[in-house]
Amino acid sequence: ENQKALQEITGCDLIVQDDMDLIGVAGFDPVRRELARRILERCLKEKRPMDVASIRRHGENIKRELLGQIKRDGDSLAKELKLDGLHPEIRQMMGSLRYRYSFTQNQHFHCGEVGWLAGLLASELGTVEIRKARRSGMLHDLGKAMDHELEGGHAVIGANFIEKRNEAADIVHA
């Protein structure tokens, strides 16, 4: 019952191997996997036996904590790159990239690095606005936060997402 409740709360599958003292979490959404990992960790640290009600209670608390952390991560990256006026949903997606990896590279930090590098290149060129270059660089992989739930490549998914949130056409194109 506890395993089913955890799977229902997180949308992830749990793979339990008693003979190896191993619990695996499987799912396409990296934020949901992180939620499952945190709930499992909290439940395993409990001194008393777990029941479905306590798992649900832990799940709600941890979900609230995780969403708060995602918001802070997105806001922090936008602030670090001095990007004003980013739509809250864009910042939220940027924060969720903290739990997405591509070829072992964390996508949240990758987008921040590309934002800085694009700004440096713009300053060298002198013909491109530094803030626009940083914005384009940071947003270039935003679609990877959603590519597990939408059809298409991450570049198109990200461009459509930021376009619907009123990003400038040149930023969307970049």
Side-chain angles (χ1 to χ4, degrees):
E1 284 182 34
N2 291 348
Q3 184 176 346
K4 286 180 185 175
L6 189 65
Q7 290 179 155
E8 180 185 307
I9 291 166
T10 63
C12 293
D13 294 326
L14 296 180
I15 300 123
V16 179
Q17 292 185 331
D18 290 327
D19 59 327
M20 297 176 62
D21 290 331
L22 178 78
I23 300 174
V25 177
F28 290 109
D29 186 337
V31 174
R32 287 180 178 271
R33 286 194 311 263
E34 177 64 12
L35 177 63
R37 187 195 67 77
R38 288 183 183 197
I39 294 171
L40 270 171
E41 189 174 81
R42 179 110 16 117
C43 289
L44 292 172
K45 286 182 180 178
E46 285 286 318
K47 301 278 191 245
R48 54 191 163 84
M50 286 282 102
D51 60 5
V52 172
S54 61
I55 291 171
R56 289 190 190 286
R57 191 177 59 255
H58 283 313
E60 287 303 313
N61 292 337
I62 292 169
K63 186 175 185 178
R64 195 172 26 261
E65 292 169 11
L66 182 59
L67 291 176
Q69 182 64 51
I70 286 170
K71 182 183 182 324
R72 286 189 299 277
D73 286 342
D75 292 346
S76 173
L77 189 56
K79 184 178 179 182
E80 178 185 320
L81 290 169
K82 298 176 178 76
L83 300 178
D84 301 324
L86 272 177
H87 193 281
E89 290 179 23
I90 293 174
R91 290 194 314 265
Q92 186 83 12
M93 282 297 162
M94 193 54 61
S96 71
L97 282 175
R98 161 87 66 169
Y99 307 102
R100 171 70 155 83
Y101 287 81
S102 181
F103 299 104
T104 71
Q105 186 175 32
N106 181 286
Q107 291 302 290
H108 176 77
F109 296 114
H110 167 72
C111 286
E113 290 170 344
V114 172
W116 278 115
L117 290 172
L120 289 170
L121 287 170
S123 71
E124 291 291 320
L125 290 171
T127 57
V128 179
E129 289 181 48
I130 294 171
R131 287 189 192 269
K132 282 190 172 201
R134 281 187 191 155
R135 193 177 201 102
S136 298
M138 186 188 81
L139 296 175
H140 84 283
D141 269 347
L142 186 67
K144 287 187 177 184
M146 301 162 268
D147 64 357
H148 58 276
E149 55 192 39
L150 298 171
E151 289 289 321
H154 74 273
V156 173
I157 292 169
N160 290 338
F161 183 79
I162 65 173
E163 183 177 42
K164 288 177 186 168
R165 280 137 191 96
N166 301 317
E167 277 297 324
D170 55 345
I171 302 294
V172 173
H173 179 73

